Amino acid sequence: MASTTSPPPSARHQPKVLIFPFMSKGHTIPLIHLAHLLHAHHNLSITFFTTPLNTPSIRASLSASQAELVELPFPTDVDGLPPRIESTDNLPSMSLFFPFLHATRLLKPHFERELARLLARADVRFIVADSFLGWAQTSASALGVPGFAFYGMGNFATLASRVVAVDRPHASVTSNDEPFSLGGGPLADVTLTKSELSPPFHDPDPVGPLKAFVVRSGLEVSSCRGVIVNSFYGLEPRYVDHWNERFGPPLYNVGPLCLARPARQSAPTEWSGWLDMKREQNRPVLYVSFGTQAEVSETQLSALAAGLENSGVDFMWVVRRPVPGLAGFEARVRERGLVVHEWVDQVSVLGHESVRGFMSHCGWNSVMESVCARVPLLAWPMMAEQFMNARLVVDELGIGLGVRARDGKRRGFVEAEEVERMVRELMVGEKGRVAAERVEEAGRAARGAMEEGGSSERCLGGLVGLFCGGDGLENGLGSLVTDC
């Protein structure tokens, strides 16, 4: 049975928005920020759909006045999926991602039952559901609820992914590392390689269950009213315009959503005290983190450690799991390096005055958080659309630099010497200085987009006005696209 955490009585007659994130921190956190924005700035009642093991972390981030939580029982005995795994962050290996996707689809009957109950007692105006949960769009539509999809990536990657999947520009290349063009329009000068694409997109003629999932989800999302994007128009205008002129559903940029995170008082930690000390010493710090899902070999981690040690740069490195051999490394670099083996508040780390660079896998949340903190990136993509994000960061926006694998390839083993060279270039080199100037400009533009009268503020306000109090909905949505 599903369980519900009810909102206070005063919220029960407000217009209600439903939010259904995919079960992954990278997908859930920006939607928590969206919930806060909708509640605090637009006085909307929020209902969050989740599963039992994900409830505690979501409840810790959302006060009872902001949202009610509806728990959907996560499927058990799913072939290939270990028990009590309800988030991709807890998968023992990303090879289990497809069984996990299959399990989330089994939530559909529970979701439909709870949605019908909500409609009987609340004034539901629309739903925002993750694009990985495309089936929620068709379920909501069948019950008369307008739907928006949430993409966990930016406009550039959204457009490039569409071109790769539909136009198949890589069909004629003969090797994984042969560059191919993405065609005309704003992507005319952009090239990728098959090695930069993740399954099933790397194969021009893919077959199998993952391809079937992508096709089915694409069809489900195509029927929604629009796509909510955690970016802002001024960062990627050419790609937003091109998509909205030629494709659909329309993209609505309402971010960066991390700027909607409520201010919080954090208890002092070892890492915050260490960063404070570096600030007092006037020693700039490189922050190193590859998210919660990247799988990095011990050999590669050892090369990364050697590169950091030889660079002479002060650094704070978040390591997800214990790595044999790092104990001696930590002792050797203790004067200028801190290795953290626990979760850290990345927004707070990037916002610290001593942090002047970010070595990142280029997950989209990390890119947005780095832009908002005005910290240049050292891009080291590893999976999913991260290679496209890295291309945007380095080649299109110039807000960061990138590492190269052996033989100059974009995917593969990165030597310690390359780590050392690029860390120094980012932190003290001329290219790093230029990237820092450009990310400073981008950070100012990001905050302007979220302020009153900014592009993202107008875009979200327009959507709320149309669905929660305006008339002429269809015409209004069409005209709103030009502002987003």
Side-chain angles (χ1 to χ4, degrees):
M1 292 291 291
S3 64
T4 303
T5 302
S6 299
S10 60
R12 292 174 186 169
H13 301 293
Q14 294 172 278
K16 180 177 286 292
V17 174
L18 313 179
I19 297 180
F20 194 177
F22 182 65
M23 298 80 187
S24 170
K25 281 188 173 63
H27 290 243
T28 300
I29 289 172
L31 287 179
I32 289 175
H33 296 155
L34 177 64
H36 173 77
L37 200 59
L38 290 169
H39 175 76
H41 292 260
H42 299 283
N43 196 33
L44 297 176
S45 173
I46 309 295
T47 291
F48 234 86
F49 289 94
T50 185
T51 64
L53 295 183
N54 290 301
T55 293
S57 62
I58 294 176
R59 181 178 288 128
S61 300
L62 285 172
S63 69
S65 64
Q66 288 177 321
E68 66 174 331
L69 303 183
V70 175
E71 288 184 354
L72 307 177
F74 200 84
T76 57
D77 300 323
V78 175
D79 188 30
L81 191 67
R84 295 186 61 78
I85 298 290
E86 297 184 11
S87 172
T88 61
D89 305 279
N90 301 123
L91 289 173
S93 168
M94 288 306 291
S95 65
L96 301 177
F97 185 67
F98 185 75
F100 186 87
L101 280 178
H102 173 66
T104 63
R105 198 168 191 91
L106 300 178
L107 293 167
K108 184 176 181 180
H110 305 289
F111 169 74
E112 291 175 344
R113 182 165 55 250
E114 292 304 314
L115 179 57
R117 291 177 181 173
L118 276 170
L119 291 173
R121 65 178 177 84
D123 182 15
V124 176
R125 298 302 180 92
F126 63 90
I127 183 171
V128 179
D130 194 281
S131 60
F132 281 158
L133 308 173
W135 51 266
Q137 299 289 344
T138 56
S139 296
S141 179
L143 292 172
V145 179
F148 288 86
F150 174 75
Y151 279 7
M153 54 188 179
N155 304 281
F156 175 83
T158 297
L159 178 59
S161 296
R162 192 267 179 203
V163 169
V164 167
V166 177
D167 298 343
R168 301 167 57 248
H170 52 326
S172 60
V173 301
T174 58
S175 76
N176 286 336
D177 297 303
E178 179 184 348
F180 61 87
S181 171
L182 289 181
L187 298 178
D189 297 327
V190 177
T191 61
L192 291 173
T193 64
K194 288 200 289 187
S195 67
E196 294 176 275
L197 304 175
S198 296
F201 300 104
H202 70 299
D203 187 346
D205 299 296
V207 294
L210 191 55
K211 167 61 184 300
F213 170 83
V214 170
V215 171
R216 180 169 53 184
S217 295
L219 290 172
E220 291 165 337
V221 169
S222 68
S223 64
C224 73
R225 298 297 186 97
V227 175
I228 301 296
V229 183
N230 181 21
S231 186
F232 61 101
Y233 180 81
L235 188 72
E236 309 175 85
R238 296 185 298 154
Y239 314 115
V240 181
D241 290 343
H242 190 75
W243 177 281
N244 285 342
E245 289 168 2
R246 300 196 176 197
F247 309 121
L251 305 179
Y252 296 100
N253 283 249
V254 302
L257 290 169
C258 60
L259 292 178
R261 190 179 84 150
R264 61 182 67 177
Q265 292 291 333
S266 300
T269 62
E270 179 189 8
W271 58 263
S272 64
W274 187 84
L275 289 176
D276 288 344
M277 178 184 68
K278 290 300 173 182
R279 178 183 57 203
E280 293 165 4
Q281 295 172 346
N282 195 27
R283 299 278 299 181
V285 173
L286 174 73
Y287 170 55
V288 182
S289 176
F290 301 117
T292 58
Q293 296 181 357
E295 296 178 343
V296 186
S297 70
E298 291 183 12
T299 304
Q300 183 63 86
L301 289 173
S302 295
L304 169 56
L308 290 173
E309 183 173 2
N310 295 335
S311 71
V313 167
D314 290 12
F315 63 89
M316 172 179 158
W317 180 12
V318 178
V319 181
R320 184 185 179 193
R321 55 185 172 82
V323 180
L326 277 191
F329 163 78
E330 292 183 47
R332 291 194 304 273
V333 300
R334 67 163 57 98
E335 294 301 319
R336 60 179 182 84
L338 177 67
V339 180
V340 182
H341 298 281
E342 61 186 12
W343 178 87
V344 303
D345 182 349
Q346 181 162 287
V347 171
S348 296
V349 172
L350 289 170
H352 197 280
E353 299 93 325
S354 64
V355 174
R356 307 288 178 81
F358 180 14
M359 180 186 287
S360 170
H361 61 311
C362 281
W364 189 245
N365 288 338
S366 291
V367 172
M368 285 290 91
E369 291 165 3
S370 199
V371 166
C372 293
R374 308 179 192 185
V375 173
L377 292 126
L378 183 54
W380 190 336
M382 298 184 179
M383 58 184 288
E385 92 290 357
Q386 293 164 10
F387 290 89
M388 297 180 187
N389 295 341
R391 188 61 65 90
L392 176 72
V393 163
V394 178
D395 297 335
E396 303 301 311
L397 301 178
I399 59 174
L401 310 178
V403 300
R404 288 279 185 168
R406 285 172 175 161
D407 302 322
K409 296 178 181 179
R410 295 189 176 100
R411 184 194 290 265
F413 188 84
V414 178
E415 303 282 4
E417 292 78 10
E418 171 72 355
V419 174
E420 177 185 351
R421 182 177 72 88
M422 293 311 301
V423 165
R424 286 178 176 169
E425 186 62 43
L426 181 75
M427 299 299 286
V428 298
E430 176 61 19
K431 292 180 180 178
R433 184 191 63 78
V434 173
E437 291 177 353
R438 290 182 176 174
V439 81
E440 178 74 23
E441 295 173 2
R444 286 197 299 267
R447 293 185 180 276
M450 293 292 283
E451 292 172 353
E452 184 175 356
S455 61
S456 295
E457 191 270 342
R458 294 197 313 271
C459 187
L460 184 60
L463 286 175
V464 170
L466 289 168
F467 282 91
C468 302
D471 297 320
L473 179 60
E474 298 304 330
N475 290 335
L477 270 177
S479 63
L480 185 59
V481 169
T482 60
D483 293 332
C484 298

